Amino acid sequence: MSGLPDLDSLRLLVDVGELGSLGQAARVAGIAQPSASKRIAQLERRLGLPLIERTPRGSTLTAEGKVVAGWAAQVLAAAEELMRAVQAVRHAEAAHLRVAASMTVAEYLVPRWLGELQHREPGVQVGLDVVNSADVAARVLAEEVELGFVEGPSVPEGLTSRVVGTDRLVVVVAPDHPWARRRTALRGAELAATPLVVREPGSGTRETLEVAFKGLHRASPRLELGSNSAVKGAAQAGAAPAVLSAYAVEAEVATGRLVEVPLAGVDLVRDLCAVWRRGRALTGPATTLLAIACPP
């Protein structure tokens, strides 16, 4: 299988399943039925599966088509969440609600929260600043944003916080790294003494790692990089082991592009927190967003 299917073809497949007709699905998509047939045929070739069975009563999904359509619906929903988050970043200056989030929270949690906020309050325009945890705290304290989301073991003075979830850091290596084949768990002292690919100072990931290494002999980082994607790329290229959020490496570990190394004797679990300026009550959309991130 080469390449990825396009979203329009996945939407067409989902619509065929819901409407029971390729012709109706084509009308919803605004294309001619022959074009829709061609698009489905291309999708079948790309996936190597029969997806649609054509009968005198209309078009129905094959058993394989039903499974793929279910997955496709999830992909389309995720794509919609992505676009809402992108729009929030693009329209930050004119937003009704200004929010800042650390990179891990912004990449893996905020899009879903913003989707639910849009569902509850369709008229709200959100501006999202994506920065590291230290910068999130600074923007909240400076009242540049109403609400922030941070990761890490501590919350700066002057902020009220509420835990909205937990995360753990994991050690990952390229598949050909010696640690990928080790049979025993990695101990904290050995990890601390190893030059690693890490996030930059000020990030919640880096702070969590430094707290976990307290009292241990620590090697200098092999690389300090400013994003999860950059750290993952360096680890995949074999630069050195990396320590990142389990959220950030889930797809790479699932597909074998990175290997998670078992770890023992060091606590890399951390809280994810909503923060706002102490003494300032949240109102309106900020209150709604907090309730979505941390249900009562």
Side-chain angles (χ1 to χ4, degrees):
M1 182 172 61
S2 61
L4 295 173
D6 63 272
L7 295 181
D8 289 338
S9 296
L10 295 180
R11 170 60 67 191
L12 187 64
L13 179 69
V14 171
D15 286 345
V16 170
E18 293 178 351
L19 300 173
S21 164
L22 184 60
Q24 290 187 51
R27 283 193 289 274
V28 169
I31 59 177
Q33 184 166 335
S35 297
S37 295
K38 182 178 179 181
R39 187 171 290 177
I40 291 294
Q42 290 173 338
L43 183 60
E44 289 177 322
R45 287 195 297 273
R46 176 160 290 176
L47 299 182
L49 294 170
L51 301 176
I52 289 181
E53 182 177 358
R54 295 163 180 82
T55 71
R57 295 184 301 275
S59 300
T60 61
L61 298 183
T62 63
E64 297 91 340
K66 291 177 182 178
V67 173
V68 173
W71 291 334
Q74 297 178 35
V75 171
L76 292 167
E80 290 172 1
E81 290 179 353
L82 167 68
M83 293 312 299
R84 280 190 288 265
V86 169
Q87 185 179 33
V89 174
R90 192 168 59 238
H91 295 121
E93 296 303 321
H96 299 148
L97 171 63
R98 292 294 304 277
V99 177
S102 63
M103 293 185 183
T104 299
V105 181
E107 288 179 52
Y108 302 101
L109 297 174
V110 168
R112 184 175 74 250
W113 297 342
L114 293 184
E116 179 61 22
L117 178 63
Q118 190 67 33
H119 176 73
R120 295 189 191 184
E121 301 189 21
V124 173
Q125 188 175 355
V126 181
L128 175 64
D129 295 341
V130 182
V131 290
N132 66 34
S133 291
D135 287 336
V136 170
R139 294 184 188 204
V140 174
L141 286 169
E143 299 187 319
E144 295 174 5
V145 298
E146 296 171 67
L147 185 63
F149 295 97
V150 299
E151 58 205 70
S154 63
V155 173
E157 286 293 324
L159 297 177
T160 299
S161 67
R162 182 180 299 176
V163 175
V164 298
T166 58
D167 182 26
R168 68 183 179 95
L169 303 185
V170 295
V171 182
V172 291
V173 296
D176 58 354
H177 190 280
W179 284 2
R181 298 180 296 277
R182 64 180 296 147
R183 298 181 179 273
T184 59
L186 185 67
R187 306 297 297 187
E190 184 179 359
L191 180 63
T194 301
L196 302 170
V197 184
V198 294
R199 286 285 307 278
E200 79 286 2
S203 72
T205 298
R206 180 66 173 273
E207 185 185 1
T208 301
L209 192 61
E210 290 178 348
V211 170
F213 284 170
K214 189 174 182 180
L216 299 175
H217 171 70
R218 286 182 280 178
S220 298
R222 177 66 52 83
L223 290 171
E224 293 181 343
L225 301 172
S227 72
N228 291 333
S229 296
V231 174
K232 286 190 291 186
Q236 287 179 237
V243 180
L244 279 172
S245 162
Y247 284 117
V249 297
E250 182 178 9
E252 287 76 12
V253 170
T255 57
R257 287 173 287 169
L258 288 172
V259 176
E260 181 180 345
V261 181
L263 186 64
V266 58
D267 183 13
L268 292 179
V269 175
R270 59 185 180 172
D271 289 332
L272 306 176
C273 295
V275 294
W276 60 98
R277 189 176 176 86
R278 186 174 299 162
R280 177 176 178 178
L282 295 176
T283 60
T287 304
T288 305
L289 182 58
L290 179 61
I292 291 168
C294 182

